């Protein structure tokens, strides 16, 4: 008599759901980056994908227990469902960690007193004093910078750093003179397609220039630290660039006396 070995339905459904969750997680990211789906629709699709992936993981774990006890087939299907589900859930776990690690803010700026103007219609709620202290503690390098470089030269350096990051520049106003102010407004995109507006101000001073930045999420309720990290990274890169620029700048030669010093008087000259 032949013994019938069945294939676990739990394992079958674990792989099916895992195979469904994988494209539901990846394809919307590509569409979101190309702005083919709105951010609100993207969030809903990813939430559904996460629920399906979690169910695939639970079914896979249940399948392992049943396969161990019954001896049915389906280990490969259960492993596939588990791996697919974990791959889909990994980004959600990472963003969950970021949400706990970083404060829930709707902007990060180096100048609270005179906020930089935005070109988008992003709604920015006032930041409380307690939250400003939390932002300052979390992002200690997000501070106004002052450099002994005039505003026109500084604006060109800032402009190059912005272009190197591939930000979508919407406004670019160079300072007319070394004592004027220039601004750049650009849209920066995160890896999964979230967009933020970045504003940069270069203000000329008698000693050189000052740099301020503001980064605001366009639609998210939580930026997962993206805006604060962006400002810190940009300003630290600017620090390094200015350090190299000042180091490599040609030094003015020391003044020299072109006239030969008078020859000392001799005894014959004194006698005359």
């Amino acid at each position: 008599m032949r013994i019938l070995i069945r294939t676990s339905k739990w394992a079958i459904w674990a792989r099916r759901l895992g195979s469904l969750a994988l494209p539901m997680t990846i394809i919307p990211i590509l569409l979101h980056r190309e702005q083919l789906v709105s951010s609100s629709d993207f969030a809903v699709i990813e939430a559904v994908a996460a629920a399906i992936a979690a169910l695939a993981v639970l079914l896979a774990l249940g399948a392992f227990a049943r396969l161990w006890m019954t001896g049915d087939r389906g280990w490969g299907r259960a492993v596939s469902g588990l791996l697919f589900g974990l791959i889909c859930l990994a980004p959600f776990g990472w963003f969950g960690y970021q949400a706990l690690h970083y404060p829930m803010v709707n902007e990060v700026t180096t100048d609270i007193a005179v906020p930089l103007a935005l070109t988008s219609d992003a709604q920015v709620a006032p930041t409380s004093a307690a939250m400003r202290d939390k932002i300052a503690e979390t992002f200690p390098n997000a501070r106004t910078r002052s450099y002994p470089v005039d505003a026109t030269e500084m604006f060109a350096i800032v402009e190059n750093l912005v272009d190197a990051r591939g930000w979508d520049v919407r406004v670019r106003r160079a300072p007319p003179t070394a004592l004027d102010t220039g601004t750049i407004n650009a849209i920066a995109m995160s890896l999964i397609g979230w967009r933020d507006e970045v504003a940069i101000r270069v203000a000329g001073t008698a000693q050189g220039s000052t740099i301020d930045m503001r980064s605001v999420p366009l639609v998210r309720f939580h930026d997962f630290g993206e805006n604060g990290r962006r400002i810190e990274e940009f300003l630290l890169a600017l620090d390094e660039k200015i350090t190299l620029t000042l180091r490599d700048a040609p030094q003015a030669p020391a003044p020299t006396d072109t006239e030969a010093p008078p020859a000392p008087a001799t005894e014959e000259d004194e006698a005359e």
Side-chain angles (χ1 to χ4, degrees):
M1 183 177 66
R2 188 173 66 180
I3 300 176
L4 179 63
I5 301 178
R6 298 174 301 177
T7 301
S8 171
K9 291 183 178 181
W10 287 55
I12 293 173
W13 279 103
R15 189 174 72 172
R16 286 178 180 175
L17 293 178
S19 300
L20 176 62
L22 193 60
M24 284 188 66
T25 302
I26 297 175
I27 294 177
I29 294 176
L30 303 177
L31 298 177
H32 190 220
R33 288 181 60 86
E34 297 298 326
Q35 294 186 293
L36 297 177
V37 296
S38 65
S39 294
S40 57
D41 292 340
F42 169 74
V44 172
I45 295 171
E46 289 297 329
V48 173
I52 295 174
L55 184 56
V57 171
L58 292 176
L59 288 174
L61 296 176
F64 289 148
R66 290 182 62 85
L67 291 171
W68 180 264
M69 292 185 297
T70 63
D72 290 345
R73 292 182 299 184
W75 286 97
R77 290 180 173 87
V79 170
S80 299
L82 179 65
L83 290 178
F84 291 159
L86 291 178
I87 290 173
C88 296
L89 291 176
F92 295 96
W94 170 250
F95 283 116
Y97 167 77
Q98 300 287 73
L100 295 175
H101 183 69
Y102 292 105
M104 185 182 295
V105 300
N106 56 6
E107 73 166 327
V108 177
T109 180
T110 61
D111 190 351
I112 295 292
V114 186
L116 283 72
L118 301 176
T119 59
S120 63
D121 56 355
Q123 301 296 322
V124 182
T127 305
S128 65
M131 182 57 70
R132 289 199 296 268
D133 293 339
K134 182 65 175 178
I135 293 173
E137 179 184 353
T138 307
F139 306 108
N141 291 305
R143 296 285 188 275
T144 300
R145 295 296 201 270
S146 297
Y147 301 106
V149 179
D150 68 68
T152 54
E153 182 181 354
M154 177 60 65
F155 187 86
I157 295 173
V158 169
E159 199 173 26
N160 290 334
L161 289 177
V162 169
D163 292 338
R165 281 154 179 77
W167 296 348
D168 181 14
V169 177
R170 302 296 175 86
V171 175
R172 194 190 306 253
R173 297 191 183 96
T177 68
L179 294 178
D180 286 318
T181 299
T183 58
I184 294 178
N185 289 76
I187 301 298
M189 182 173 61
S190 67
L191 180 63
I192 63 174
W194 297 113
R195 286 168 171 77
D196 309 306
E197 180 170 357
V198 183
I200 306 174
R201 180 173 62 210
V202 181
T205 65
Q207 292 75 31
S209 57
T210 61
I211 311 297
D212 281 293
M213 288 186 69
R214 184 185 187 189
S215 191
V216 178
L218 298 184
V219 296
R220 287 177 287 175
F221 72 96
H222 197 307
D223 71 345
F224 305 105
E226 183 75 25
N227 290 282
R229 293 197 305 270
R230 178 184 293 116
I231 289 179
E232 283 196 318
E233 185 275 330
F234 188 91
L235 291 179
L236 289 175
L238 185 59
D239 289 342
E240 182 178 359
K241 180 65 177 178
I242 296 302
T243 299
L244 295 177
T245 300
L246 296 177
R247 186 195 66 183
D248 298 337
Q251 301 295 325
T256 57
D257 190 356
T258 56
E259 296 183 1
T266 62
E267 294 181 358
E268 297 180 352
D269 293 335
E270 292 176 356
E272 293 179 357

